[in-house]
Structure formats: C-alpha cells, structure tokens
Amino acid sequence: MAAVCILDEFEVHNNEEFLKIAEDLKPELHTTTVKPVKLLEHVKTHSDEAEPEEKGMREEELSALPEKVFKKDDSIILDFGDHQVGYVTMDLESTGSHQDAPLYLYLRFAERLDELDSDPAEYNGWISKSWLQQEHVHVDVLPARVELPRRYAFRYMEIKVIDVSMKFSLVIRDVTLKAVSAVRQEDVEPLAIDDPMLRKIDRVSVRTLQNCMQDVFEDGPKRDRRLWLGDLRLQARANYQTFKNYDLAKRCLYLFAGMPFNEGKLSACLFLDPKPEPDDTYLFDYALLFGSALLDYYEETKDEKTLKDLYPTAMRQIEIGLDYLTEDNIVPDHSDEFWCFVDWGDGLNSQAASLAILIYSIRYGIRLAQIMNDEERISFLKKNEDELKKSAVEYFWDEEQQMFVSGAERQISWATQIWMILARVFPQEKNRELILRTIEVNPDIRMVTPYMYHHYIDALIRSGEKERALDEMKRYWGGMVNDGADTFWEVYNPDNKDESPYGSVMINSYCHAWSCTPTYFLRKFYNA
Amino acid sequence: MAAVCILDEFEVHNNEEFLKIAEDLKPELHTTTVKPVKLLEHVKTHSDEAEPEEKGMREEELSALPEKVFKKDDSIILDFGDHQVGYVTMDLESTGSHQDAPLYLYLRFAERLDELDSDPAEYNGWISKSWLQQEHVHVDVLPARVELPRRYAFRYMEIKVIDVSMKFSLVIRDVTLKAVSAVRQEDVEPLAIDDPMLRKIDRVSVRTLQNCMQDVFEDGPKRDRRLWLGDLRLQARANYQTFKNYDLAKRCLYLFAGMPFNEGKLSACLFLDPKPEPDDTYLFDYALLFGSALLDYYEETKDEKTLKDLYPTAMRQIEIGLDYLTEDNIVPDHSDEFWCFVDWGDGLNSQAASLAILIYSIRYGIRLAQIMNDEERISFLKKNEDELKKSAVEYFWDEEQQMFVSGAERQISWATQIWMILARVFPQEKNRELILRTIEVNPDIRMVTPYMYHHYIDALIRSGEKERALDEMKRYWGGMVNDGADTFWEVYNPDNKDESPYGSVMINSYCHAWSCTPTYFLRKFYNA
C-alpha cells in the first residue's frame, strides 16, 4: 500500500522569528575519520554444476587492499566495522600500461551485508528507487582521489569494476570515510547495568541515535533523512538520557512551530534543503504529540522562553484534534487514509488509537498548562479528557472480549490496547490486566515497527510490568542484535523478517531513529 | 580481434627540453555556449499487438522544455543541432510537493541518433565499455544547477528519469553546453568550389577537425581522445589548409619527439593526463610517418629551429625501420600482431604495405636531409630507397596478376596496391594503370577506414586521376553525408555499415580525426 499524503491548498505560515532561532541552533557536525576494518570477498567454488556456487565470504586484512589488482567484473566489499554515516573518499591508481580508457565503477553501500545479495535493478517498491545507495562512477584520469559528494549510511561498501581495459587494471590504494554527526559517542556515560544483552542493546541504541543526529534529528540517515515529528519525540527522549544535546531538540521544536500550515496545523515532517519547508503531510497523532515533546524538553531544561514561545502551538494542535470529533465525541474512522500513523503494517484500523492519542495529548497539554498557570485552559482540557475517556469506553470497549476494538469491523489490535493504556482510560491496575490479556490473546493485528514497540514497552512500564518490559526489550531489540544489527531497524517483525512497508526490504532503513529508545528506557527506569 | 600492443621492458627517455616547448604551446581552448535546437520524443502508438510500436520521433521547439513535467521512466532527447564537444550544465527543478527523495537520472550522449536505439548493457566489444557516454546521476536537492564534470562528444543528449517520487516531478528548466576547441570555425576561409556535395563534405571535414583539436590533435573526442602519430599527420595536413594552427602541430611533434622509448622509437600514441606519457605501443608505419609530418610542418612554416630539433628523431625512425629488414631486404610478416596499422578490417596482411611505407618514409627522409644539407644521409637513404624498391618488385609483384601480393598466402588487397603507389615503386603511368586495375579487380580485402581511404585518394591524385579522386570522395565521404554525418566517422564501410573494429558499433567514434582529410584534398588540389 502506497501511503502518502498530498494536501490541496497547502499554505504555510512561516514564523520568521522561530525559524531564526532554529537556524542559529544549527549544529557544527563532528567529523571522524574511519577506515575499513577488513575486506570481504565472495568465494565462488565450482561444483559439478555449470554455475559457480557461492560459498560464503572470505575475510582479509585491510592491508591486503592496495596489493590487489582489479580487472573487469572484479569486486571487493569493505567492512567499516560498524554502522557509519558520512562521506567516502577513494584513492585509486592504475597498474599495467598507461590508463587508456576511463575507469568505470559501480558502488553500493549497505547497512547490512545481506543487502548486497539483492539486485537494485529488480526493486519495484512504491517509494523512490533513488534511495538505493548505489553509484556509477567514471574516473577519466588515474591516479585520482575520488571524493564522493553524497552522504551514505552504511557499514559495507562494495566496489565493483564494470570495466577497465585490456591494458590497465585498478588498484585501490585507500578508502576513507569522514563520518559525521552532531554528537560524539564519548559524551555518553556508560550504562550502569551488567546484563550483557542489555548492554549490547544500549550500545546499538546509542549508535542508532548518534547516526540519526545530524543537522536535525533525522528519521533515517539512509532514507528519508527528514525530521518527522513523531520520531523527534522519541529521539529527543533518548537524547536526554544520553548525549543531552538540548540545542538540537530545541532547534527541531522551533522548526516545527515555525512552519505551521493553514489553520495552524503542524506538518508531520520537515525538509531542511534547500531551505526549511514542511511537507504537505498531516498526521493526526504526530501533530498532537508535539505537546508531549515540548513538555519533555521543558522538564529536562526548564527553558521557560522556549516553553512560552511554543506553548500556543502545542495547544493549537489539541484544538485541531478536538475539531475532528464527531457528534459521538469520537475521532472518525480514517483508516483507509494516511492520516494517523500509529504503526506500519497492513490492515491496522487506527480509529480507536487516534482517540487514545488525543486523550494522551490532552494529558500532556494539561501539564503544560499547569506550568504556564493557564487555568482556563486547564479546566477546558480536563473537561475534554473526562468526556473522551467516557466515549472511548462507550464506543470502543468490548466488555465481552475485555479488550478495545476499533473501526466498523470492531478490529482488535495490539496498537489499540497499548494507546488506550497510555491514554490512561482505565486506572493502572486495569491497564495492567489489559496489557497482560493482550499478550495472552496476541491479537492477529500485531505491532511491526520499533516505534509501536516503544509504546508497548512504555505501556508495560506504566502498568507496573517493568520486568516484563525488560524481557520484551530483550526479545524484540535483542532479536535484532542477534540478527546482526549494528543499529536498530526501521521495521522488525520477528514473525516476518522480510516485512517492508514499501514492497521491498531493499529500501528499508536499518538505522532508524524511532528504534533507538531502549537506551531511554534502560537509563531512565533501570539504571543503577 | 582484440588489437592491442603491450611492450615488455618499455623504457621512456624523456627529452625535457622538448617537453617544455610542447607544454608552453598548450592552447587556451575557445569556449562557445550552445543551446539545444529542438526536442525529440519517441512516439509510441499502440497497435493490435501487446507491445507499443515505435513510430519515429516527434519534434518540438526547445521552448516547450521547461513546460514539461517528467515522472518516473519519462525521457526526452535534446538535439544540439550539430556535433559538439564540451561540458553540459542542467538547470533542474521540482514540481508538485517538496522533493522528498533524490532525483535519479540516466543520461546518454550520442553522436548519431541511431546510437540511442542500442542498449549499453548489451555491449560486449573488446575495448572498454567505459567509453560509452552514459551517466547515472543522483540529485539530492532541487532546484539544482548540475554541472557534469566530464566532457562529452555528441549531438543528441537523452535525459531519462529513473525515478522521482509519488510526490514530486522533475522540470528541466534549461540545458546548456560549453563547447570547447583549440580553434574557431570562423577562422576558416570559405571553400571556393560550388558543387553542393563537395561543399557539404568540406564543411563536415572542417567540423570533424575542429572538434578533434583540443589540447592536442585528438583522434576522437568521444573515445580514445589521444594523440596518435598516424592520425596527427593527416589532421595537421587538413589544419594547414583550414585553421592554420601551426602551434598545435608543433606542440604535437615535440610531444612525440620528447618521449621516445628504448632505442629511440616513437610511440604510436601519447597520453596527456595526468602528465604526458607515451603508450607502450609501437606501430611500424606510424613511427615512420613522423618524418612526413615533420616535412609537412616545415614546408608550411619554414620553422628551421623545429626542423633542426626534430630531424634526428625522424631519421632514427627510418634507421629503426631498416633494422627490421630480413636478409631478403623485406619487412618480415607481422600480420598476426598489432605491429603495423595500415587499416582496420579482418584479415588484412600488411607485410607488403609495411615495406611500401618504409620506402615512402625514406623519400620524405631524403627531402628532409636535402633541406638539412645532410649529404651523407642523402646518399645512404637513396641507396636504400633503390634497393627496397627492387625487393618490393622482386618479392611482392605478381607479374601474372599485374598486382602486388602480400604475405605467405600472397594476399591481394587494396591497401597493398595503394601504398606501393604512394611509395612510387613504379613510375607514375604504371601507378595509374595499377590503381585503375585495382578498381577494376576490386580485391576482396577492401579498405575500411577513412584513414586508408585518405591514402587511396592520395594515390589517385598522385597517379593523375584527379577527377576520379573527386568522384571517390563524393562516393565515400558523400556516403557518410547522405547517411546523416555531422562529422566524419572512424569507420565507414559502404558495403557493411555495421562494421566495427571493436565488436560493436556502439563504441565506434563518429567524429574521428583521420576522416577529416577531404578538406585537405579539396583545398590543396581543387580550390579555384
């Protein structure tokens, strides 16, 4: 399913003062020079069959690289040892006779080694194949230092010689990466937990976050590379427990508030280039969660100026959310539209979750209003919170099944239960029963993204199930670690590891910010 | 047949003084801004068959370009009106929602429109596919001015959108070419001949020469782009009748003389980048023809310093040529090697032609020695000339067939007769009979390249067949004009228009310097 939103009559109302504040907070990126740690080569053995058979990979030391001589169709994989984001420079030379034709290279950059087994020519997903990290490069004159101008997110770089000539061959003298990030690994305090798997999960979380922290909190450094509101909220939470780069969070909040559209709605995501501009995409849940992100920021920083500047924007999102309510005081069913994100995954009905997220946002709105001493707003929001909790139960609670349903088909999903728990429609003990019942029933409409799993872990912790939350983190994020993750992935469905929201795993992002939150949970709720 | 030469123990002895003279003569290139003259689009009509059928091309004004909106798989061909050599800049924009993915383009540059019907992925010739003029380009941020860093030789540029996204489309605001050459069309005097076809042939010749005159006389601006000695000799002759850029000819002569290898041999071709360096390729005929090129230059310029500097190099080539002689005073048969060029074309035996070219070069050597008043050399060369003419007749003249043969198989080819005529083994009247007999017999081993046709025309003129030479120019080069040539081609076999020395016409060069010489003949021998 192609999930895009294109709004008609999209009119942005820039707040230049806010955008100036955001611009002034643009970070200087830290750069680190990184070398490959080893070389990998496909080993082909000839069996009785006509076709050579792949027999895994042969590893070699990096020092062997400049000794190698590459002819037509030769290739090599450079392993940079960890997930990297940055700019690659190749020092190339020729050997043999004088170079009598251009060198023609094909390059691929892969976050996971498996990606190199797929063929980009066969990609037919619904988002642009331009995101596949591949280049065709002609080098007219050797020796040459080839500085690739584009940024890549990868651990593995494959260099394949499309052609040299009969008279010369290629020598790869050196390949260097200039890795970039707004933050440095060494600024993070060590985790005070001994469990080896949790330590691994924390390390991978922190690396994921670091590689997504660039000019803004990007959602994924491979693909999209944009600032999404829902993702920002989770990244900022992880950042407050690790890098503590408050300026980047502040910058992103001002960017969103600086570019509302039409009646004051916040866009679901922003572009930075060639100048900051919002996407014409509205996501009901993302816009509402701005208040939650603002409160998180204020609680970390006590930055009253920012709170005061951005409070009206947060309140406006709630007002807009309330405007959507039907006569029955519920959110209408938009489930055939890309209107409320909640989770990827086919067939999820988001009506009940939408209402739950509205209730959740109102609670954060009340806390903001309390800090602002905005009494009128507090009573307005409290009244709405009470009423919406009532309609949530009235319309979506299935007494017989003891679970919330959603949509005309009365769908039961994990997502609906989790958001109703986070909305605190029921008191904590009943929430605890609900989450345990959900685990027991294991509804067919499962969670797919780490974004949704974050809210599941949150719901477990808020329901007093801290130990179970830890187990579930180990199962889910630990599953990725066991599957070789250097950074956490955009999509991970333990039941279907080939799941892609885009019609092809080739285009999935394997360093995706919304999956970095185990470090938030571990450091906030479990650190010794 | 892959025809390359890789010399072992190749040792270059640079003459730094000569290389300094050459470096100081490096031209400032003239640049001209060129716009496409029209747009071409494939018109597809759906017949009863499932596959859409190509129905030729639709033409449009350039002004329609910025109005067009390009989605995935859309393409357009820009026609620049004439053969061009230079650097392309594209001004690209997006339309629709904000660009949310890189733009991914595939570009092709074609000297002839037909080339665009072929698929570079299917190229499997023996010279490097890196010469195929194609690029894959990602553009991360639109609008963008994309300055392609490589130089292309083309008339047609195809822009194909590999992908945009569902949210934005491409607009091509403008495409501009910065054409480059060491010379300017307007510096050539008009041809004083009325015949429309001859005027066309002259114009195409001059354009061919102009587009090959860059830092040096390149053989072809699409492919190779090198300075070949045999090609230089013909280009310089055409240049003396047209652009009269003596410095470029002088520069190239000094470059060759500045980089002899081993016993003083001249390389068949030179590279200019990253610094001047000779290819490890020796071609017996090319090296010998250095003296002819030097004499041509001296006769045009009366530049005694250059003559004096380079005379020893020319003489050395003849000495080396003589060293190859067998006890029978003939050149040994190297026909299975890439050792004496003569012509492309399968199966040509070059033994007899090699001897003829040696004799030809000795005659030029004698003329050089006469100008230098080098009496000793004159008598040495004259003696050799007489003896070699005798052995040419003795070993290669077939009295019964009244033609020269070559090699152990006693092969009769056009090339052998032509070079024996140019060597003046026989007096003019007998040469005239021989060329007429060759035309009548039409030996199976034909001429393939314009380089060989040049010598055929030369042989006709030197045998007193000026009118027939004109007819043959009209037939051969006029054939290319009638086949749509904007510049003359590397290979043109009227009997097999798909001929390629490389296993695929895709890689043939369609602006090739050695085919520019009709302007030399027309202006030197026919101008009013």
Side-chain angles (χ1 to χ4, degrees):
Chain A
M1 178 194 66
V4 296
C5 170
I6 299 178
L7 297 174
D8 294 333
E9 298 173 23
F10 180 68
E11 239 177 52
V12 181
H13 305 287
N14 278 2
N15 181 322
E16 297 302 338
E17 185 197 328
F18 285 7
L19 292 179
K20 174 74 170 57
I21 291 170
E23 178 62 25
D24 291 346
L25 292 167
K26 189 172 175 177
E28 276 280 329
L29 298 186
H30 300 278
T31 66
T32 317
T33 299
V34 183
K35 293 281 181 188
V37 296
K38 63 183 183 211
L39 311 177
L40 299 173
E41 258 179 306
H42 287 286
V43 181
K44 289 190 167 76
T45 54
H46 290 265
S47 63
D48 291 345
E49 313 293 317
E51 288 291 300
E53 212 180 312
E54 294 285 346
K55 286 286 188 198
M57 303 292 258
R58 180 175 50 228
E59 291 191 11
E60 278 186 275
E61 297 293 315
L62 177 64
S63 57
L65 182 60
E67 306 305 319
K68 290 183 178 290
V69 170
F70 294 88
K71 298 296 295 178
K72 182 174 179 168
D73 295 330
D74 287 347
S75 66
I76 190 95
I77 297 168
L78 310 181
D79 176 357
F80 281 78
D82 195 357
H83 189 279
Q84 311 287 351
V85 175
Y87 300 87
V88 171
T89 295
M90 300 183 287
D91 286 306
L92 306 176
E93 296 176 4
S94 67
T95 184
S97 298
H98 192 285
Q99 183 195 13
D100 64 340
L103 164 68
Y104 194 20
L105 294 179
Y106 177 64
L107 309 176
R108 283 183 77 183
F109 299 88
E111 296 178 301
R112 294 169 60 240
L113 193 55
D114 285 357
E115 291 174 57
L116 297 177
D117 294 336
S118 64
D119 179 2
E122 287 169 14
Y123 172 76
N124 61 356
W126 61 266
I127 56 172
S128 182
K129 80 166 64 164
S130 63
W131 285 119
L132 298 173
Q133 299 185 115
Q134 56 177 335
E135 304 293 347
H136 293 74
V137 178
H138 287 99
V139 184
D140 288 325
V141 179
L142 292 171
R145 166 159 292 185
V146 178
E147 299 189 13
L148 298 171
R150 306 179 70 222
R151 201 193 71 187
Y152 305 101
F154 68 105
R155 170 172 169 176
Y156 303 95
M157 173 182 180
E158 184 173 29
I159 303 176
K160 181 170 179 180
V161 176
I162 301 176
D163 217 337
V164 276
S165 86
M166 295 172 74
K167 295 201 64 168
F168 80 99
S169 305
L170 170 68
V171 172
I172 305 171
R173 177 63 52 195
D174 198 12
V175 179
T176 306
L177 171 76
K178 193 181 79 178
V180 290
S181 170
V183 291
R184 296 180 305 184
Q185 203 82 28
E186 53 263 42
D187 294 338
V188 179
E189 281 179 25
L191 181 74
I193 296 177
D194 282 338
D195 183 296
M197 176 51 88
L198 293 178
R199 294 184 69 84
K200 277 186 197 166
I201 290 173
D202 181 74
R203 184 172 49 70
V204 175
S205 295
V206 170
R207 184 64 169 174
T208 305
L209 178 60
Q210 180 190 22
N211 282 354
C212 294
M213 287 176 74
Q214 304 290 340
D215 282 351
V216 292
F217 285 97
E218 293 184 10
D219 64 331
K222 166 185 171 182
R223 204 211 63 234
D224 264 27
R225 306 181 174 187
R226 276 176 276 172
L227 174 58
W228 285 87
L229 220 172
D231 310 49
L232 162 65
R233 170 170 157 268
L234 303 198
Q235 284 168 286
R237 285 185 168 178
N239 169 50
Y240 302 144
Q241 300 297 328
T242 53
F243 300 105
K244 304 183 195 297
N245 185 330
Y246 302 115
D247 279 351
L248 197 66
K250 180 178 172 185
R251 165 171 157 78
C252 294
L253 292 170
Y254 272 98
L255 278 170
F256 276 109
M259 298 184 286
F261 66 92
N262 298 44
E263 60 265 49
K265 278 178 181 161
L266 291 190
S267 172
C269 74
L270 305 181
F271 301 98
L272 276 296
D273 293 307
K275 60 184 173 68
E277 206 169 319
D279 189 20
D280 57 342
T281 294
Y282 176 71
L283 290 177
F284 181 79
D285 48 350
Y286 277 26
L288 283 170
L289 292 168
F290 181 81
S292 159
L294 178 60
L295 182 67
D296 290 344
Y297 172 77
Y298 175 77
E299 290 190 333
E300 285 296 320
T301 61
K302 307 297 176 202
D303 171 354
E304 307 229 338
K305 163 80 165 66
T306 298
L307 175 65
K308 207 166 147 251
D309 279 353
L310 307 187
Y311 174 73
T313 301
M315 290 305 133
R316 183 75 195 113
Q317 303 318 302
I318 296 171
E319 289 163 13
I320 292 165
L322 292 170
D323 284 348
Y324 277 100
L325 292 173
T326 65
E327 286 179 1
D328 296 329
N329 229 23
I330 55 170
V331 180
D333 190 354
H334 283 79
S335 280
D336 50 351
E337 294 168 40
F338 186 62
W339 181 80
C340 183
F341 177 72
V342 186
D343 196 10
W344 286 116
D346 276 344
L348 172 67
N349 183 289
S350 63
Q351 187 186 19
S354 305
L355 180 62
I357 292 165
L358 177 57
I359 298 168
Y360 178 93
S361 305
I362 289 172
R363 189 172 80 246
Y364 276 87
I366 292 166
R367 289 171 61 191
L368 287 168
Q370 286 165 339
I371 300 165
M372 293 290 293
N373 294 316
D374 183 354
E375 293 303 335
E376 198 177 331
R377 179 81 61 171
I378 294 168
S379 28
F380 168 77
L381 291 176
K382 283 200 164 160
K383 180 170 162 286
N384 274 288
E385 186 185 27
D386 289 345
E387 288 171 10
L388 292 179
K389 283 186 178 176
K390 277 195 201 106
S391 52
V393 174
E394 188 174 336
Y395 284 89
F396 299 118
W397 179 250
D398 185 315
E399 187 60 29
E400 194 181 326
Q401 303 194 64
Q402 288 288 302
M403 294 182 93
F404 285 97
V405 297
S406 180
E409 309 281 328
R410 300 180 64 78
Q411 180 190 80
I412 294 180
S413 68
W414 281 78
T416 298
Q417 318 311 317
I418 287 163
W419 274 110
M420 287 292 184
I421 291 165
L422 292 174
R424 303 191 188 170
V425 171
F426 291 137
Q428 195 191 29
E429 186 47 34
K430 184 147 184 180
N431 279 341
R432 196 174 149 270
E433 284 166 24
L434 176 55
I435 196 67
L436 296 179
R437 176 153 177 73
T438 306
I439 292 167
E440 188 196 329
V441 170
N442 190 11
D444 286 344
I445 306 292
R446 307 242 157 83
M447 299 174 284
V448 170
T449 61
Y451 176 80
M452 192 60 232
Y453 267 86
H454 166 90
H455 294 104
Y456 168 50
I457 301 300
D458 205 12
L460 282 171
I461 294 172
R462 308 291 174 174
S463 309
E465 286 286 336
K466 271 185 72 176
E467 278 312 304
R468 191 180 288 268
L470 217 47
D471 289 345
E472 288 295 79
M473 275 192 272
K474 280 188 187 179
R475 182 180 63 83
Y476 186 70
W477 280 270
M480 282 189 258
V481 168
N482 287 334
D483 285 339
D486 300 302
T487 45
F488 287 127
W489 308 345
E490 175 180 22
V491 177
Y492 183 67
N493 183 347
D495 300 324
N496 174 17
K497 292 187 181 178
D498 286 335
E499 179 130 354
S500 169
Y502 314 114
S504 167
V505 288
M506 252 187 265
I507 206 102
N508 285 10
S509 155
Y510 291 99
C511 172
H512 220 70
W514 68 16
S515 64
C516 77
T517 57
T519 191
Y520 157 75
F521 291 118
L522 293 173
R523 288 161 186 267
K524 188 175 172 82
F525 298 105
Y526 302 90
N527 229 352
Chain B
M1 179 193 69
V4 297
C5 170
I6 299 177
L7 297 175
D8 294 333
E9 298 174 25
F10 180 69
E11 242 178 51
V12 182
H13 305 287
N14 279 1
N15 181 322
E16 297 301 338
E17 185 197 329
F18 287 5
L19 291 178
K20 175 74 169 57
I21 292 170
E23 178 61 26
D24 291 346
L25 292 166
K26 190 172 175 179
E28 277 279 330
L29 298 187
H30 300 279
T31 65
T32 317
T33 300
V34 183
K35 293 280 181 191
V37 295
K38 63 184 182 211
L39 311 177
L40 300 173
E41 259 179 305
H42 287 286
V43 182
K44 289 190 166 75
T45 54
H46 290 265
S47 63
D48 290 345
E49 312 294 317
E51 288 292 301
E53 211 179 310
E54 293 284 346
K55 287 286 188 198
M57 303 292 257
R58 181 174 51 227
E59 292 191 11
E60 278 187 276
E61 298 292 314
L62 177 64
S63 58
L65 182 60
E67 306 305 320
K68 290 183 180 290
V69 171
F70 294 87
K71 299 294 294 178
K72 183 175 180 167
D73 294 330
D74 287 346
S75 66
I76 190 95
I77 297 167
L78 311 180
D79 176 358
F80 281 78
D82 196 356
H83 189 279
Q84 312 286 352
V85 176
Y87 300 86
V88 170
T89 296
M90 301 183 288
D91 285 306
L92 306 177
E93 296 175 3
S94 67
T95 185
S97 298
H98 193 287
Q99 184 194 12
D100 64 340
L103 164 69
Y104 194 21
L105 293 179
Y106 176 64
L107 308 178
R108 282 183 76 184
F109 299 88
E111 297 178 301
R112 294 169 61 239
L113 193 54
D114 285 359
E115 290 173 58
L116 296 177
D117 295 336
S118 64
D119 179 2
E122 288 170 13
Y123 172 76
N124 60 356
W126 61 266
I127 56 174
S128 181
K129 79 166 65 165
S130 63
W131 285 119
L132 298 173
Q133 300 184 112
Q134 57 178 336
E135 304 293 347
H136 293 72
V137 178
H138 287 98
V139 184
D140 289 324
V141 179
L142 292 171
R145 166 161 292 185
V146 178
E147 299 190 13
L148 299 170
R150 307 180 70 222
R151 201 193 70 185
Y152 305 102
F154 69 105
R155 171 172 168 176
Y156 303 95
M157 174 183 180
E158 184 173 30
I159 303 176
K160 181 170 179 180
V161 176
I162 301 176
D163 217 337
V164 276
S165 86
M166 294 171 76
K167 294 201 67 168
F168 81 99
S169 305
L170 170 68
V171 172
I172 305 171
R173 176 64 51 198
D174 198 12
V175 179
T176 306
L177 171 76
K178 192 181 78 176
V180 290
S181 171
V183 291
R184 296 180 306 183
Q185 204 82 30
E186 54 263 42
D187 294 339
V188 178
E189 281 180 25
L191 182 73
I193 295 176
D194 281 338
D195 183 297
M197 176 50 88
L198 293 177
R199 294 183 70 82
K200 276 186 198 166
I201 290 173
D202 180 74
R203 184 171 49 68
V204 174
S205 294
V206 170
R207 185 64 168 176
T208 304
L209 178 59
Q210 180 190 21
N211 282 355
C212 293
M213 287 176 73
Q214 304 290 340
D215 281 353
V216 293
F217 285 96
E218 293 184 9
D219 65 330
K222 167 185 171 182
R223 204 213 62 237
D224 264 27
R225 304 181 175 187
R226 276 175 276 171
L227 175 58
W228 285 87
L229 220 173
D231 311 49
L232 162 65
R233 171 171 157 268
L234 303 198
Q235 284 170 286
R237 285 185 168 180
N239 168 49
Y240 300 144
Q241 300 297 328
T242 53
F243 299 107
K244 302 182 195 299
N245 185 329
Y246 302 116
D247 279 352
L248 197 66
K250 180 178 171 183
R251 164 170 158 79
C252 294
L253 291 170
Y254 271 98
L255 279 169
F256 276 108
M259 297 183 287
F261 66 91
N262 298 43
E263 61 264 50
K265 278 178 180 162
L266 292 190
S267 172
C269 75
L270 306 181
F271 301 99
L272 276 297
D273 293 307
K275 60 183 173 69
E277 208 169 317
D279 188 21
D280 58 342
T281 294
Y282 175 71
L283 290 177
F284 181 78
D285 48 350
Y286 278 27
L288 282 170
L289 292 167
F290 180 80
S292 160
L294 178 59
L295 182 67
D296 291 344
Y297 172 78
Y298 176 77
E299 290 190 333
E300 285 295 321
T301 60
K302 306 297 176 201
D303 173 352
E304 307 228 339
K305 162 79 163 67
T306 299
L307 175 65
K308 205 165 149 253
D309 278 354
L310 307 187
Y311 173 75
T313 301
M315 290 306 130
R316 184 73 195 116
Q317 303 318 302
I318 296 171
E319 290 164 11
I320 292 165
L322 292 169
D323 284 348
Y324 277 101
L325 293 173
T326 65
E327 286 180 2
D328 296 329
N329 230 22
I330 55 171
V331 180
D333 191 355
H334 282 79
S335 279
D336 50 348
E337 296 169 37
F338 186 61
W339 181 80
C340 182
F341 177 71
V342 187
D343 196 11
W344 287 116
D346 275 344
L348 172 67
N349 183 288
S350 63
Q351 186 186 19
S354 304
L355 180 62
I357 291 165
L358 177 57
I359 298 169
Y360 177 92
S361 305
I362 289 173
R363 189 171 78 246
Y364 276 88
I366 293 167
R367 289 170 62 189
L368 288 168
Q370 285 165 342
I371 300 164
M372 294 291 292
N373 294 314
D374 184 352
E375 293 303 333
E376 198 177 331
R377 179 81 62 172
I378 294 168
S379 29
F380 168 76
L381 291 176
K382 281 198 167 162
K383 179 171 162 285
N384 274 287
E385 187 185 27
D386 289 344
E387 286 172 11
L388 292 179
K389 283 185 179 177
K390 275 193 204 109
S391 53
V393 174
E394 188 175 337
Y395 284 89
F396 298 119
W397 179 250
D398 185 315
E399 186 60 29
E400 194 181 325
Q401 302 194 67
Q402 287 288 304
M403 295 182 92
F404 285 97
V405 297
S406 179
E409 309 281 329
R410 301 180 64 77
Q411 181 191 77
I412 294 180
S413 68
W414 281 78
T416 298
Q417 318 311 317
I418 287 162
W419 274 111
M420 286 295 184
I421 290 165
L422 292 174
R424 303 192 188 169
V425 171
F426 291 137
Q428 195 192 26
E429 186 46 36
K430 184 146 186 182
N431 278 342
R432 194 174 150 270
E433 282 166 26
L434 177 55
I435 195 68
L436 296 179
R437 176 155 175 73
T438 307
I439 293 167
E440 189 197 327
V441 170
N442 191 11
D444 286 346
I445 306 292
R446 306 242 157 83
M447 300 173 284
V448 170
T449 61
Y451 177 79
M452 192 59 231
Y453 268 84
H454 166 90
H455 295 103
Y456 169 49
I457 301 299
D458 205 11
L460 282 170
I461 293 172
R462 308 292 174 175
S463 310
E465 286 286 334
K466 272 185 71 178
E467 278 313 303
R468 192 180 286 267
L470 217 49
D471 289 345
E472 288 295 80
M473 273 192 272
K474 280 189 188 180
R475 182 180 66 82
Y476 187 70
W477 280 271
M480 282 190 256
V481 168
N482 287 333
D483 284 339
D486 299 303
T487 45
F488 286 127
W489 307 345
E490 176 180 21
V491 177
Y492 184 66
N493 182 349
D495 301 325
N496 174 18
K497 292 187 181 177
D498 286 335
E499 179 129 357
S500 168
Y502 313 115
S504 166
V505 289
M506 252 188 265
I507 206 102
N508 284 11
S509 155
Y510 290 99
C511 172
H512 219 71
W514 67 18
S515 64
C516 78
T517 56
T519 192
Y520 158 74
F521 291 120
L522 292 173
R523 288 162 186 268
K524 187 174 173 83
F525 298 105
Y526 302 89
N527 229 352

